[in-house]
C-alpha cells in the first residue's frame, strides 16, 4: 500500500505542448492525439497509438447512432424539455460536435472522431499515459487500482 507501482517516462506521454498540472482539459492534447493517429505506425508512439486505433468503438454514448441515443433518452425518461428530468446521466457531457468541432475547432473525419472518443474515455486530465490507461479503470478490488500523481512540470516523474 502506498508504493509506486510504475513510473511512465514523460517522453512516452501524449499531451499538449504547454502542460499544466492543474489543467484538466485540453483541445491541444486531443489535436495531438489526432495527429499521432494520422501517423499511425510512423508515430513515435506507434505501439500505444496502434493499440488505441484497434480498440472497439461504440462504448461511449456519443459514438452511438441518433436512433440509439434517442432510445437511451426515452428509456431514461429524458424529454429534452426539463434539464434534470428522468434518470441520470442527464446529458452527454462531452459531445464530439459541441466540444471537438465547436470549442476545439477540429475537423470532422472518422479518425478525428476516434481520437476524440479515445481521449475522452482514457485521458488522465490532459495526459494520454500508456500502460496506465489500461489499468486504472478496474472496480475489482483484486485487480490493480491506481491513484495517479501528476507531475508539477514537464519531465518530472
Amino acid at each position: 500500500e502506498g508504493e509506486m507501482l510504475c513510473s511512465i517516462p514523460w517522453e512516452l506521454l501524449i499531451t499538449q505542448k504547454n502542460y499544466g498540472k492543474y489543467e484538466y482539459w485540453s483541445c491541444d492534447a486531443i489535436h495531438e492525439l489526432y495527429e499521432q493517429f494520422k501517423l499511425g505506425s510512423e508515430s513515435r508512439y506507434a505501439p500505444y497509438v496502434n493499440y488505441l486505433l484497434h480498440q472497439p468503438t461504440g462504448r461511449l454514448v456519443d459514438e452511438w447512432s441518433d436512433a440509439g441515443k434517442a432510445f437511451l433518452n426515452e428509456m431514461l425518461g429524458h424529454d429534452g424539455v426539463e434539464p434534470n428530468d428522468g434518470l441520470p446521466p442527464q446529458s452527454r457531457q462531452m459531445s464530439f460536435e459541441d466540444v471537438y468541432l465547436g470549442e476545439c475547432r477540429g475537423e470532422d473525419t472518422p479518425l478525428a472522431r476516434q481520437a476524440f472518443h479515445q481521449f475522452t474515455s482514457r485521458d488522465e486530465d490532459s495526459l494520454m499515459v500508456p500502460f496506465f490507461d489500461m489499468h486504472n479503470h478496474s472496480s475489482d478490488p483484486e485487480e490493480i487500482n491506481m491513484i495517479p500523481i501528476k507531475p508539477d512540470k514537464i519531465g518530472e516523474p
Side-chain angles (χ1 to χ4, degrees):
E1 183 176 317
E3 67 182 279
M4 183 184 306
L5 297 178
C6 66
S7 177
I8 309 299
W10 187 265
E11 59 271 9
L12 297 179
L13 307 182
I14 301 175
T15 189
Q16 76 273 20
K17 289 175 181 52
N18 298 316
Y19 168 78
K21 180 177 183 176
Y22 299 105
E23 187 168 350
Y24 301 107
W25 177 251
S26 170
C27 289
D28 291 339
I30 299 172
H31 289 305
E32 181 60 29
L33 181 61
Y34 178 42
E35 290 303 314
Q36 297 306 315
F37 273 25
K38 289 192 286 187
L39 292 171
S41 294
E42 300 300 316
S43 167
R44 67 179 284 213
Y45 310 102
Y48 183 46
V49 165
N50 288 332
Y51 166 78
L52 294 173
L53 285 170
H54 289 91
Q55 293 303 299
T57 59
R59 293 178 291 172
L60 300 176
V61 174
D62 193 54
E63 298 176 272
W64 295 4
S65 67
D66 289 340
K69 293 172 195 172
F71 178 71
L72 177 63
N73 284 334
E74 183 179 325
M75 297 227 7
L76 294 175
H78 298 182
D79 64 11
V81 176
E82 295 297 322
N84 292 315
D85 64 338
L87 299 171
Q90 302 303 335
S91 66
R92 295 182 298 140
Q93 297 295 317
M94 303 290 283
S95 90
F96 177 82
E97 293 77 12
D98 293 342
V99 176
Y100 192 69
L101 297 181
E103 181 182 334
C104 296
R105 305 210 184 284
E107 61 186 17
D108 191 356
T109 68
L111 201 57
R113 286 178 178 271
Q114 189 176 4
F116 175 81
H117 293 125
Q118 286 292 335
F119 184 88
T120 56
S121 68
R122 295 175 169 274
D123 75 302
E124 180 56 34
D125 297 334
S126 61
L127 305 171
M128 291 293 291
V129 185
F131 181 74
F132 173 79
D133 81 357
M134 294 180 251
H135 299 282
N136 72 335
H137 289 92
S138 176
S139 59
D140 182 344
E142 300 300 317
E143 298 291 326
I144 296 176
N145 286 286
M146 298 186 187
I147 300 172
I149 298 173
K150 288 179 68 176
D152 289 328
K153 58 186 177 185
I154 291 175
E156 287 188 346

